[in-house]
Amino acid sequence: MCHRGRCDCSFTTGSGVSLTQQSRSPENQVNPLPPPLKATSLKRRGSLFRAFSGLTSRYGNRSPKKDKEDEVILVNAMHIADEEQGEDGRSYQTIFLRSSEEGGEHELAFFSRLDDEFNKVAKFYRDKVEEVVKDAEELNRQMDALIALRIKVNDPAAVSPFTNQRNTGYREVIHEEHQEKRSDDVREYQMASLEVLNHIKINTTAETPLSAIKNVFHGSKSDLHFNKKELGDAKEKLKQAFIEFHEKLRLLKNYVFLNQLAFSKMMKKYDKVAKLIERVESAFVKHFCNGNRHQGMSTLKPNAKRKRHRDTFFVGCFFGCSLALVVAIIVNVHARDLLNSRGRTQYMNTIFPLYSLFGFLVLHMLMYAANVYYWTRYRVNYSFIFGFKPGTELGYTEVLLLSSGLSVLTLAAVLSNLEMELDPNTKSYKELTELLPLGLVTVVILITVCPFNIFYRANRFFLLVCLWRCICAPFYATTLPDFFLADQFTSQVQLLRYLQFYVCYYGWGDFKNRNAETCKGSVYNVITIVIAVIPYWIRVLQCMRRFLGGHDSTQALNALKYFSTIVALVARTIQTQRPGITLQIIAGSTSGFATVFNTYWDMVMDWGLLCKNSENPWLRDKLILPNRSIYFIAMDAPFLHANALIALVACLEIIRRGLWNFFRLENEHLNNVGKFRAVKSVPLPFSYENEDNNI
């Protein structure tokens, strides 16, 4: 640090001694020395530039204690070759010493089954321990690169004495007495090497449409520029990687707790995992939380979400108000004989579609609340599958609160907007009541994009991010939340058309006289077709992105499925607008093909059902719901909406989508369980040019 010609250079030598050298300028002989920095600040600064101690250091070898042998059984441990891993493992065999006694054959069968189960558990645990050790080694390398980058970016001049072997001038000022006093801190303040920066590249940090295009031509890696943005992005990625790795270790530790009473021999591995957890926690607190252990542990192990009784109270209040408003609307319609009013047709052509939008939205939210309730009841880990930040996922009570609150506002607006006859004095309807639907839409949109921490901001932001990724489908890697949201929109085509009607009615129509003549014609009809096609086209792009990314070859067929739906939708819409035998045949054939294709894909690919030789005939081997008839009822649901009216079709499609949601996530959850996926895979910020070179 330089102060008016005086240069103070603070550094730590290879021996761990902190020194300060002043340049010998004339000012240095006159001006007093600046006040020394606090010891804690120096220690903190030194720790940031210190070489990473590693997560997998050698633990002290402990001689295992011999198990006490029972007089009845004898346990032998045999080393065997693991065919899958190509490594030597250990298998345990129990010998029953009293097999000749009466009933001994049953004891032999029992211990044989016990050995099989124990060896399965032991092999799984052994494989997982090896996996987390490998992950820890990779995190070691990533931390070495991060610390070297931190040194290079933050203070490249100050760290040169630590990394340049030829610079020995500073060592002359090291006093022998001071060196002896700080001998215990030699390893603590050993500086990290910058040599690692010559062998790494930084992975692309931000995924944007522009970066996706660049990656096609230049690859997914980029050279280091040694700037603070690179450092911040790398630190954020590694922070998330530590969080997920800590969660993985905690799950493995809990696995031991669940099995230690039955399989006490497995506990010899416990110390290794426990110490690894301590090292992960220590490294995370030091490098990502500025030494604040409370903050670090709250990030690694967030508190469980507590259920609030006030939410349940307000849900009851809102549902009660909704029922009262429904009764009031029915009584009002009957008392005023509005069904026989001359303005009934005009009301149904204009006002009814405006409020139907909220009806579809509330119904979809109710179905989602039911999904969340049953996912929670049957332990489907929907929070992990969707990728919600721990503790921010909405429970069914919160979803019901939102849907019931919106229901109250909508029904209150309907009750105040039941006028079906023009005012004889003004020859128009009341402007305030006619603007109520537009006001409700505006309120919903403003709450959705509100930046303040109200109305479940984390979930709203998550929704907007997924929506943006859906809009830019070709430029982002498709994740489950992205295509799940796009699938929801395919079941809300009528809602999207009503949004189009909002824009036309209030933008170009005469809403004071309920005149929607401008919302007709060829241009409006073309836009209607485009609006209906957009959700399916997004799914086509998402499927093609997954197919081209090499994740799943079946995504090409999935894209074909959605494209067939687009063809059927366009044919049906044109046939409705221009009736004719030829168009009717085309619409019927394309609709039939799309219906069969979609139904088969939903049942077989998305739900994993219709397995002929499974343990549950025509279902699948593993089921969550105890009653198998529910699955067969759900498989019949897609055919319910064949000949219904528009509003009824839209409602039934939303209900069908709600059923699809549950069984789709059930299948995803069972796949995760089968593959032992309980934590997310986090991309790491650095990649080594030569993976075989351990630096």
Side-chain angles (χ1 to χ4, degrees):
M1 183 181 296
C2 296
H3 298 278
R4 298 180 181 178
R6 184 182 68 253
C7 295
D8 299 338
C9 182
S10 299
F11 62 94
T12 304
T13 66
S15 61
V17 181
S18 179
L19 303 173
T20 301
Q21 186 197 25
Q22 297 178 339
S23 62
R24 300 178 180 178
S25 61
E27 283 192 9
N28 288 337
Q29 301 175 4
V30 178
N31 294 337
L33 293 174
L37 297 174
K38 293 183 179 180
T40 56
S41 176
L42 288 173
K43 186 175 181 180
R44 170 64 185 158
R45 180 177 177 84
S47 66
L48 288 178
F49 294 157
R50 193 183 314 155
F52 188 54
S53 57
L55 301 176
T56 55
S57 62
R58 301 297 182 186
Y59 305 127
N61 294 328
R62 299 180 180 179
S63 58
K65 297 181 179 179
K66 295 184 179 179
D67 298 328
K68 294 182 179 180
E69 298 179 357
D70 194 19
E71 295 179 356
V72 180
I73 63 173
L74 184 65
V75 179
N76 291 333
M78 300 176 295
H79 289 277
I80 60 173
D82 191 337
E83 296 179 357
E84 296 180 359
Q85 301 293 335
E87 301 174 354
D88 289 337
R90 177 173 289 186
S91 175
Y92 297 91
Q93 182 180 12
T94 304
I95 301 175
F96 185 57
L97 301 179
R98 299 181 182 179
S99 58
S100 59
E101 297 181 0
E102 183 179 358
E105 64 276 7
H106 300 294
E107 299 291 341
L108 287 174
F110 169 76
F111 283 112
S112 177
R113 181 67 181 271
L114 184 65
D115 289 339
D116 290 340
E117 296 301 320
F118 175 78
N119 288 324
K120 288 179 183 178
V121 173
K123 180 182 181 301
F124 171 80
Y125 186 72
R126 184 171 61 248
D127 293 343
K128 288 301 176 182
V129 169
E130 293 176 358
E131 182 180 322
V132 297
V133 170
K134 291 179 181 178
D135 292 343
E137 292 290 351
E138 179 59 31
L139 286 179
N140 286 343
R141 301 172 68 191
Q142 295 289 321
M143 285 302 302
D144 288 339
L146 176 67
I147 295 174
L149 182 61
R150 176 187 289 159
I151 296 173
K152 187 72 174 178
V153 171
N154 287 340
D155 201 353
V159 300
S160 58
F162 309 111
T163 58
N164 191 345
Q165 298 294 333
R166 294 173 298 177
N167 191 350
T168 59
Y170 294 105
R171 298 180 183 178
E172 298 176 358
V173 298
I174 301 176
H175 297 287
E176 185 174 343
E177 297 179 358
H178 195 180
Q179 199 169 18
E180 293 177 357
K181 187 180 296 184
R182 297 291 302 277
S183 60
D184 295 336
D185 298 331
V186 169
R187 291 186 303 274
E188 183 180 3
Y189 285 97
Q190 183 179 357
M191 300 307 298
S193 172
L194 299 187
E195 179 65 20
V196 68
L197 297 178
N198 298 327
H199 302 275
I200 65 168
K201 288 186 177 182
I202 191 166
N203 294 326
T204 303
T205 55
E207 188 178 16
T208 62
L210 183 59
S211 67
I213 296 174
K214 288 182 178 179
N215 290 339
V216 174
F217 300 99
H218 302 290
S220 59
K221 306 292 190 304
S222 60
D223 293 331
L224 286 164
H225 299 288
F226 305 111
N227 54 43
K228 291 190 175 181
K229 184 180 184 303
E230 272 184 350
L231 177 63
D233 292 340
K235 181 179 177 182
E236 188 62 31
K237 278 197 172 186
L238 265 180
K239 178 180 178 181
Q240 189 62 34
F242 265 80
I243 293 174
E244 293 299 330
F245 186 55
H246 185 271
E247 177 68 13
K248 190 174 186 178
L249 293 174
R250 284 203 309 117
L251 292 175
L252 195 55
K253 182 179 177 182
N254 292 339
Y255 180 82
V256 178
F257 282 143
L258 292 175
N259 290 278
Q260 63 179 338
L261 296 179
F263 306 118
S264 59
K265 291 183 179 294
M266 190 181 298
M267 290 304 295
K268 66 181 181 179
K269 296 288 187 180
Y270 171 75
D271 287 340
K272 190 172 184 179
V273 174
K275 288 190 175 182
L276 187 54
I277 288 180
E278 293 177 1
R279 285 179 171 269
V280 170
E281 292 174 352
S282 177
F284 183 82
V285 169
K286 180 172 69 174
H287 291 280
F288 301 106
C289 298
N290 293 324
N292 189 333
R293 182 169 179 81
H294 176 73
Q295 177 188 352
M297 296 309 297
S298 64
T299 305
L300 289 174
K301 296 191 293 186
N303 296 327
K305 188 177 181 180
R306 298 181 60 183
K307 197 171 182 179
R308 298 184 298 183
H309 296 291
R310 65 180 181 183
D311 291 343
T312 307
F313 172 77
F314 282 113
V315 167
C317 289
F318 288 153
F319 268 109
C321 292
S322 298
L323 291 176
L325 288 170
V326 169
V327 172
I329 291 173
I330 295 174
V331 171
N332 201 317
V333 170
H334 180 72
R336 298 166 58 184
D337 196 20
L338 296 179
L339 293 179
N340 297 322
S341 174
R342 291 177 299 176
R344 180 187 63 178
T345 302
Q346 193 174 15
Y347 183 91
M348 294 300 294
N349 290 335
T350 55
I351 303 301
F352 181 77
L354 300 178
Y355 287 114
S356 295
L357 180 145
F358 297 101
F360 296 150
L361 188 58
V362 170
L363 179 60
H364 208 130
M365 295 172 70
L366 291 176
M367 290 302 300
Y368 181 71
N371 290 150
V372 172
Y373 172 77
Y374 284 104
W375 287 333
T376 305
R377 179 178 177 182
Y378 293 105
R379 302 186 180 220
V380 175
N381 195 356
Y382 72 96
S383 176
F384 167 71
I385 293 173
F386 284 133
F388 291 125
K389 186 178 179 180
T392 63
E393 70 278 3
L394 291 182
Y396 67 92
T397 306
E398 289 87 353
V399 180
L400 287 176
L401 179 64
L402 293 173
S403 60
S404 59
L406 181 60
S407 175
V408 169
L409 292 176
T410 303
L411 292 173
V414 171
L415 182 62
S416 62
N417 198 16
L418 275 178
E419 191 65 46
M420 296 187 182
E421 299 293 340
L422 289 170
D423 189 336
N425 297 324
T426 61
K427 300 297 181 180
S428 64
Y429 298 92
K430 294 181 180 179
E431 182 177 359
L432 179 61
T433 55
E434 294 302 302
L435 287 173
L436 281 176
L438 180 62
L440 278 177
V441 170
T442 304
V443 168
V444 171
I445 294 176
L446 289 178
I447 291 177
T448 303
V449 300
C450 178
F452 303 110
N453 192 15
I454 57 175
F455 296 112
Y456 311 110
R457 180 178 63 177
N459 296 89
R460 290 187 288 104
F461 181 75
F462 183 85
L463 175 64
L464 292 175
V465 169
C466 290
L467 181 60
W468 173 251
R469 292 172 66 93
C470 288
I471 295 173
C472 302
F475 305 107
Y476 287 98
T478 304
T479 60
L480 188 142
D482 300 337
F483 72 74
F484 195 88
L485 179 62
D487 277 322
Q488 306 309 303
F489 282 119
T490 60
S491 294
Q492 285 285 14
V493 171
Q494 196 60 36
L495 182 145
L496 297 177
R497 285 174 170 171
Y498 284 162
L499 280 177
Q500 174 196 356
F501 181 74
Y502 262 91
V503 175
C504 180
Y505 182 68
Y506 284 105
W508 293 275
D510 185 6
F511 64 90
K512 292 183 180 179
N513 294 313
R514 293 181 182 171
N515 185 356
E517 291 298 325
T518 56
C519 300
K520 297 179 181 179
S522 58
V523 176
Y524 184 84
N525 293 336
V526 171
I527 297 176
T528 301
I529 297 176
V530 173
I531 291 293
V533 164
I534 286 176
Y536 298 99
W537 182 245
I538 290 175
R539 288 296 289 122
V540 170
L541 295 177
Q542 289 177 336
C543 293
M544 293 307 299
R545 173 61 190 260
R546 297 184 68 185
F547 172 70
L548 296 176
H551 296 294
D552 190 357
S553 59
T554 60
Q555 291 302 315
L557 288 175
N558 201 11
L560 180 61
K561 179 196 74 172
Y562 286 105
F563 186 77
S564 68
T565 306
I566 292 175
V567 174
L569 182 63
V570 172
R572 286 201 307 268
T573 306
I574 295 177
Q575 189 271 332
T576 302
Q577 298 172 357
R578 301 177 182 178
I581 297 178
T582 304
L583 289 176
Q584 188 174 0
I585 295 175
I586 296 175
S589 58
T590 54
S591 297
F593 176 79
T595 300
V596 173
F597 201 167
N598 279 268
T599 302
Y600 172 81
W601 195 275
D602 285 350
M603 295 179 185
V604 177
M605 304 303 294
D606 289 341
W607 296 357
L609 302 179
L610 293 181
C611 299
K612 183 178 180 180
N613 298 321
S614 66
E615 296 178 3
N616 303 290
W618 298 108
L619 297 177
R620 60 170 114 88
D621 291 338
K622 294 182 180 180
L623 301 175
I624 288 181
L625 299 180
N627 193 341
R628 291 186 296 178
S629 61
I630 297 176
Y631 292 89
F632 292 103
I633 295 174
M635 285 192 287
D636 292 332
F639 300 102
L640 292 176
H641 58 77
N643 298 311
L645 298 174
I646 293 179
L648 182 61
V649 168
C651 292
L652 291 177
E653 172 59 23
I654 293 171
I655 295 173
R656 186 196 70 84
R657 179 58 62 184
L659 294 174
W660 181 90
N661 290 344
F662 177 82
F663 294 107
R664 178 64 182 86
L665 248 69
E666 180 206 28
N667 190 38
E668 186 72 21
H669 173 75
L670 292 175
N671 289 335
N672 288 340
V673 172
K675 297 179 181 178
F676 308 108
R677 287 197 297 255
V679 294
K680 293 182 293 184
S681 177
V682 179
L684 297 174
F686 304 107
S687 61
Y688 283 74
E689 291 181 336
N690 185 2
E691 293 294 338
D692 297 331
N693 184 18
N694 294 326
I695 297 174

